[in-house]
Amino acid sequence: MFPLLLLPFRSVAGEAAGSVSAEAVQGSQVDIKSMLFGHIGDSYQWHITRIGDKELTIPLPVIVCSKDSGWHCFLSSRLEDGPYEGFYIAEGGKYDGKIVEKDAAGAEVRPFDISITKNVLGLMINSAILVVLILCCSRWYRRHDALKEAPSGVAALLEPVIEMIDDDVIKGSIPEDQSRKYAPYLLTVFFFILVNNLMGIIPIFPGGANITGNIAVTLVLALCTFLAVNLFANRYYWKDKFWPAVPWWLKVPVPLIPFTEVFGIFTKPFALMIRLFANIMAGHAVILSFVCIIFITVELGPLVNGTMTFIAVLFGIFMDFLELLVAFIQAYVFTMLSAVFIGLAHEKPEAE
């Protein structure tokens, strides 16, 4: 009964309700930490649900290269019954949850691992969805005259969003002579983050993967903005970094302000990375925490447990709807800040 109540808000991962149910029936102690980090983290298989005592999962390809035995490729289901071809998933230690093997000395070592994990597959699926949406929108404009008829279908859905980002964010932050050049990148970033955020809220396959809650993904996004800002910045941008318009004693003999400005080159993309990662991961963790309340209060009796279940479900559903708003806001904020940083790199003195 309780797992059914969780269905409306098991949005942080497709496997949430199934594994929560398993822990609820296994005993009175629920491992909250492993539950939270298990759903937020990556996996070599995609857990769908639990039917009775059977786990319904999608095994994913494991692709590893050992220093001793070379390349190996097999499905992750091979590892369920123990080591396979010398590889197994570590339990505890610094390689917890990762595929490892043992070297000649018997120590656990990591092979070169390019496996298709849950996050990787989710990233591929979400990217394919984004490409299909853009191509469908493009197809409508190729076949219709936008000046004579209103868009329909996917084009009608995307056009107001594209215009909003282009007019309010891109053109509002980047000089007019540069905005058109950066519009494709910034629009791609916005829709990429938005699609991944929204797919992370969907409770069933192919949704539920915590893509933008993975710091590796947000690191790459922030790195792209870092390169877009610093590789194509004008000379005035670098002049303000190394010789800013401040009193000379702030620049020599101790380059206090130049050091601060150069340090800021790296802190800006770092803030982009952490902001997106932390907000998405925190939202998933909060919803999972409400799920855990139901099973933590089982020992307190049916009255307390029933009351807390009702409260947890209400707050969980509320957080799920709030996550819809957060999905859009975080995509908007990342794009807006990226546009602002790019715009600052192309500012010119007023005299020119």
Side-chain angles (χ1 to χ4, degrees), residues 227-299:
L227 295 176
V229 171
N230 294 285
L231 288 183
F232 307 103
N234 60 27
R235 65 180 185 275
Y236 303 105
Y237 171 80
W238 293 110
K239 177 181 178 298
D240 287 339
K241 297 300 179 186
F242 293 102
W243 196 257
V246 296
W248 65 269
W249 49 271
L250 292 174
K251 295 180 285 189
V252 290
V254 178
L256 179 62
I257 299 302
F259 174 80
T260 304
E261 291 290 337
V262 172
F263 185 69
I265 293 175
F266 301 96
T267 57
K268 290 175 181 176
F270 180 79
L272 285 178
M273 175 187 71
I274 296 299
R275 178 183 287 105
L276 179 60
F277 159 73
N279 279 281
I280 300 302
M281 186 186 68
H284 291 187
V286 168
I287 297 176
L288 275 173
S289 298
F290 286 124
V291 175
C292 296
I293 289 175
I294 297 172
F295 303 102
I296 292 174
T297 58
V298 167
E299 291 184 329

Side-chain angles (χ1 to χ4, degrees), residues 33 127 169 256 296:
K33 181 180 177 179
S127 298
V169 176
L256 179 62
I296 292 174

Side-chain angles (χ1 to χ4, degrees), residues 14-189:
E15 73 272 17
S19 59
V20 169
S21 302
E23 290 170 342
V25 299
Q26 284 175 359
S28 59
Q29 298 298 322
V30 180
D31 190 348
I32 305 300
K33 181 180 177 179
S34 63
M35 183 189 300
L36 288 175
F37 288 98
H39 297 319
I40 293 174
D42 206 354
S43 174
Y44 289 98
Q45 62 183 5
W46 197 309
H47 192 288
I48 304 298
T49 188
R50 182 184 178 90
I51 303 176
D53 295 330
K54 185 177 180 181
E55 301 284 352
L56 181 60
T57 61
I58 299 176
L60 300 175
V62 173
I63 307 171
V64 293
C65 181
S66 170
K67 292 182 179 179
D68 299 326
S69 56
W71 287 96
H72 297 260
C73 183
F74 52 88
L75 290 178
S76 59
S77 55
R78 297 281 191 176
L79 301 173
E80 292 179 357
D81 299 326
Y84 179 78
E85 296 183 356
F87 301 98
Y88 61 95
I89 298 178
E91 297 182 1
K94 63 178 180 178
Y95 298 134
D96 184 32
K98 302 296 183 181
I99 290 180
V100 297
E101 61 178 338
K102 289 190 176 181
D103 59 13
E108 288 185 345
V109 294
R110 282 276 286 153
F112 180 65
D113 190 352
I114 55 171
S115 303
I116 308 299
T117 61
K118 177 182 176 181
N119 281 349
V120 173
L121 180 59
L123 189 60
M124 293 177 177
I125 293 172
N126 297 346
S127 298
I129 292 173
L130 177 58
V131 170
V132 170
L133 289 175
I134 298 302
L135 290 179
C136 289
C137 181
S138 171
R139 182 185 180 190
W140 187 93
Y141 282 99
R142 288 198 308 268
R143 297 187 175 188
H144 300 81
D145 187 349
L147 299 177
K148 296 181 179 179
E149 55 183 309
S152 60
V154 176
L157 177 66
L158 297 184
E159 181 180 309
V161 182
I162 292 173
E163 287 187 350
M164 178 193 68
I165 298 299
D166 188 43
D167 294 340
D168 298 342
V169 176
I170 299 174
K171 293 180 180 178
S173 303
I174 303 175
E176 186 176 354
D177 61 330
Q178 297 289 332
S179 61
R180 188 175 181 84
K181 181 171 68 175
Y182 290 100
Y185 165 68
L186 292 170
L187 285 169
T188 300
V189 166

